[in-house]
Amino acid sequence: MTSPHKPPEIFLSMPHACSYLPGRTATSLFLDPRQPLDSRQYAGFMRLGFRRSGDLIYRPHCRECNACIPVRIPVNRFRPDRGQRRIWRRNQDLSVMARPPLFQEEHFELYQRYQSSRHPGGGMDDPDPQKYLNFLGSRHIHTVFYEMRLNQKLLGVVVTDMLPDGLSAVYTFFDPGPKRRALGIYAVLWQIEHAREQQLPWLYLGYWIRECQKMAYKGHYRPLEAFLQGHWVNLDSPHTRTGS
């Protein structure tokens, strides 16, 4: 039997087509899925640039590419820009409620509408409820599904992992109709504020990929810290050459 104190083994995946940058080949480091981590242990790997998809905890590790950069927002130093402040005010009529990470038909229908509108043919619009839960949930990490509602209407679901030193923005899906609300941006702003209320220092955003449109938005939240060469650094520092 594996000791719970033994560090999990780390494996390297086989090369595969990159999901974000066409024409590139990717490989990932991933933890042995037979040795589950709790939220405290997972937070330690988050600080090393890892991320989860379902129960799989991984980090890009490509020989000839370093485009995927782990980023986090220091919530007490975050200052929204003018557009973000406008989006925050525009959505103050929404209520946000915490729900357990369980299957709900209303959530799943919204998820399918979101995928069909935002990522058609991307492989994530599979009408299988179990695959949906396997992607968003985790058997061992404390995850919350936050509902964004306008009166009784469900407009979005913000999937968030609760960690000892911060929150991790796992995934957000929302009604693609009311574009003026910019619900994806609002979800990040709400998680920043929620982390601040919980006196947690970080909101982890996953991987920022400047060359990928659907991942480049993470560079719009400042200040922003990136995990580069084994250290967390401020992207606004004059000594940081990554840019935005």
Side-chain angles (χ1 to χ4, degrees):
M1 182 175 177
T2 303
S3 167
H5 302 292
K6 179 183 176 181
E9 291 187 82
I10 299 178
F11 301 96
L12 181 65
S13 74
M14 294 293 291
H16 55 275
C18 180
S19 302
Y20 302 109
L21 300 175
R24 299 197 191 183
T25 299
T27 53
S28 299
L29 297 175
F30 63 95
L31 306 188
D32 185 349
R34 297 170 297 181
Q35 188 171 343
L37 303 183
D38 60 22
S39 294
R40 179 186 60 79
Q41 294 167 316
Y42 176 47
F45 280 95
M46 290 284 291
R47 291 191 290 272
L48 295 175
F50 281 75
R51 184 80 169 156
R52 79 166 180 87
S53 177
D55 284 327
L56 182 67
I57 298 172
Y58 70 96
R59 187 178 77 186
H61 188 76
C62 305
R63 177 176 296 181
E64 299 178 355
C65 178
N66 58 0
C68 297
I69 301 175
V71 291
R72 68 186 185 184
I73 298 170
V75 299
N76 287 329
R77 292 193 287 118
F78 171 74
R79 296 295 179 268
D81 61 26
R82 181 182 301 177
Q84 291 164 348
R85 292 195 299 270
R86 185 164 55 246
I87 290 167
W88 179 261
R89 292 192 298 267
R90 194 174 291 160
N91 287 285
Q92 289 307 291
D93 55 346
L94 301 184
S95 60
V96 181
M97 298 289 294
R99 302 297 184 197
L102 303 174
F103 179 81
Q104 293 191 37
E105 188 66 38
E106 185 182 24
H107 292 182
F108 187 51
E109 290 176 356
L110 180 60
Y111 175 81
Q112 289 182 297
R113 292 204 311 273
Y114 173 81
Q115 295 296 343
S116 297
S117 173
R118 291 299 187 97
H119 308 292
M124 296 176 66
D125 51 357
D126 193 308
D128 185 336
Q130 192 58 53
K131 290 182 181 178
Y132 153 81
L133 277 184
N134 289 346
F135 165 53
L136 296 177
S138 173
R139 292 172 294 173
H140 310 288
I141 296 167
H142 182 196
T143 303
V144 178
F145 286 13
Y146 289 104
E147 295 179 343
M148 298 188 294
R149 290 185 180 272
L150 179 62
N151 299 320
Q152 298 301 312
K153 183 180 181 181
L154 180 68
L155 291 187
V157 176
V158 184
V159 181
T160 308
D161 284 343
M162 317 299 291
L163 306 175
D165 67 342
L167 304 180
S168 174
V170 177
Y171 200 74
T172 296
F173 54 95
F174 49 85
D175 187 336
K179 292 182 172 57
R180 189 170 177 273
R181 286 186 176 273
L183 291 171
I185 295 173
Y186 178 68
V188 175
L189 297 174
W190 184 87
Q191 287 174 102
I192 293 170
E193 184 59 28
H194 189 49
R196 184 182 287 121
E197 290 171 352
Q198 299 296 314
Q199 298 184 330
L200 297 170
W202 315 110
L203 173 63
Y204 290 89
L205 290 184
Y207 300 113
W208 171 52
I209 308 173
R210 182 171 48 183
E211 302 169 61
C212 176
Q213 183 177 2
K214 66 181 180 180
M215 301 295 277
Y217 75 91
K218 300 175 185 184
H220 297 157
Y221 300 89
R222 297 299 175 124
L224 189 66
E225 295 185 358
F227 191 70
L228 298 171
Q229 299 179 340
H231 302 280
W232 288 97
V233 297
N234 189 336
L235 282 178
D236 294 318
S237 168
H239 303 293
T240 303
R241 300 183 181 275
T242 305
S244 63

